[in-house]
């Protein structure tokens, strides 16, 4: 889970590759290949591990995501905080949306110093099988339900090019059913493209 590129990607990938290699007795090359295959096919590497190898997802979370040395890599980000504070909370609801388990997600936003700026979070619950995760439709429907979305037309992704988006819900539009359309995605560098009501500036 990331609101922007929080740390070099290879650190995360290496930790996952090590888990694959150690627990499945694979070479480094085969571990990376299987890791990427499961990520591509399931949206989450751990989903493939659970499906095909009966791996305990909470054990995986402890040994991989929660074991990442983030304290030295993630620090409070004042620019990100200012961007989020510029959003008028009286007109929108800000909701985190991630494939990470709750412990990793909470750790990251706390290290970034922005945990107080969101009304809630939709995460991949490693305690419940089968997994519900992005990019599967059920995960988006879960986020819509938990955030109280009335129409998907009111949903925006706000994120950098390489990250998990923030869900922004326009609270002033009346419900208009739930047409089968995608959420709109906007990157941090394109803040001006959000509807005028979204930002106080």
């Amino acid at each position: 889970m990331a609101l922007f590129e929080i740390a070099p990607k290879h650190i995360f990938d290496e930790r996952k590759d090590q888990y694959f290699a150690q627990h499945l007795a694979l070479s480094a090359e085969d571990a990376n290949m299987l890791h990427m295959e499961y990520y591509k096919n399931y949206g989450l590497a751990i989903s493939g591990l659970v499906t095909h190898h009966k791996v305990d997802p909470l054990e995986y979370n402890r040994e991989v995501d929660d074991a990442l040395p983030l304290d030295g890599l993630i620090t409070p980000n004042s620019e990100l905080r200012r961007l989020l504070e510029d959003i008028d909370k009286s007109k929108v609801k800000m909701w985190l949306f991630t494939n990470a388990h709750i412990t990793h997600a909470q750790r990251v936003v706390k290290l970034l110093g922005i945990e107080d700026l969101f009304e809630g979070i939709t995460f991949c619950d490693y305690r419940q099988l089968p997994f519900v995760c992005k990019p599967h439709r059920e995960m988006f429907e879960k986020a819509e339900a938990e955030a109280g979305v009335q129409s998907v037309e009111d949903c925006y992704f706000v994120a950098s090019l390489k990250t998990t988006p923030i869900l922004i819900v326009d609270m002033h539009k009346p419900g208009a059913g739930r047409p089968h359309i995608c959420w709109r995605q906007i990157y941090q560098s394109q803040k001006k493209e959000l509807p005028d009501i979204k930002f106080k500036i």
Side-chain angles (χ1 to χ4, degrees), residues 108-128:
V108 169
V109 293
K110 184 175 182 179
L111 288 171
L112 287 169
I114 58 173
E115 71 272 24
D116 59 314
L117 301 180
F118 298 90
E119 293 190 41
I121 179 171
T122 294
F123 60 95
C124 180
D125 192 344
Y126 285 12
R127 299 164 298 185
Q128 296 184 356

Side-chain angles (χ1 to χ4, degrees), residues 57-76:
L58 292 179
E59 176 188 90
Y60 171 92
N61 187 62
R62 285 192 298 270
E63 294 188 25
V64 179
D65 289 356
D66 285 353
L68 289 166
L70 299 182
D71 289 12
L73 295 173
I74 302 177
T75 56

Side-chain angles (χ1 to χ4, degrees), residues 3-199:
L3 300 181
F4 64 106
E5 192 173 5
I6 59 175
K9 185 175 183 296
H10 70 85
I11 294 176
F12 299 88
D13 287 342
E14 287 175 1
R15 178 75 67 171
K16 293 174 184 177
D17 287 349
Q18 290 170 5
Y19 187 93
F20 273 73
Q22 293 171 3
H23 289 264
L24 303 181
L26 299 173
S27 67
E29 182 179 357
D30 288 342
N32 177 259
M33 187 179 303
L34 190 61
H35 165 201
M36 293 295 102
E37 178 183 335
Y38 286 168
Y39 178 79
K40 179 180 179 180
N41 292 340
Y42 293 96
L44 273 179
I46 179 57
S47 188
L49 286 171
V50 171
T51 300
H52 298 287
H53 309 282
K54 309 305 178 185
V55 165
D56 180 346
L58 292 179
E59 176 188 90
Y60 171 92
N61 187 62
R62 285 192 298 270
E63 294 188 25
V64 179
D65 289 356
D66 285 353
L68 289 166
L70 299 182
D71 289 12
L73 295 173
I74 302 177
T75 56
N77 186 291
S78 58
E79 181 180 359
L80 177 62
R81 184 174 180 88
R82 284 196 300 272
L83 182 149
L84 296 174
E85 287 177 333
D86 281 341
I87 299 174
D88 189 339
K89 311 303 189 303
S90 70
K91 298 177 180 176
V92 300
K93 177 184 291 185
M94 298 215 322
W95 198 270
L96 287 163
F97 185 37
T98 178
N99 265 353
H101 188 53
I102 186 62
T103 54
H104 179 64
Q106 289 176 333
R107 182 185 178 200
V108 169
V109 293
K110 184 175 182 179
L111 288 171
L112 287 169
I114 58 173
E115 71 272 24
D116 59 314
L117 301 180
F118 298 90
E119 293 190 41
I121 179 171
T122 294
F123 60 95
C124 180
D125 192 344
Y126 285 12
R127 299 164 298 185
Q128 296 184 356
L129 300 177
F131 284 142
V132 176
C133 66
K134 295 177 287 162
H136 302 297
R137 182 180 184 84
E138 292 81 5
M139 183 63 163
F140 288 83
E141 292 175 343
K142 176 183 178 183
E144 292 168 17
E146 292 178 350
V149 173
Q150 293 182 312
S151 170
V152 294
E153 292 181 335
D154 302 340
C155 298
Y156 291 83
F157 279 159
V158 180
S160 73
L161 292 173
K162 297 182 178 180
T163 65
T164 296
I166 304 164
L167 169 59
I168 301 228
V169 183
D170 186 341
M171 301 301 288
H172 281 195
K173 288 186 178 180
R178 297 186 55 187
H180 298 293
I181 61 173
C182 296
W183 296 0
R184 285 168 282 187
Q185 182 154 326
I186 296 174
Y187 302 115
Q188 287 177 9
S189 61
Q190 300 171 320
K191 185 174 71 171
K192 296 295 185 181
E193 295 182 22
L194 279 170
D196 291 340
I197 65 167
K198 295 294 186 288
F199 287 87

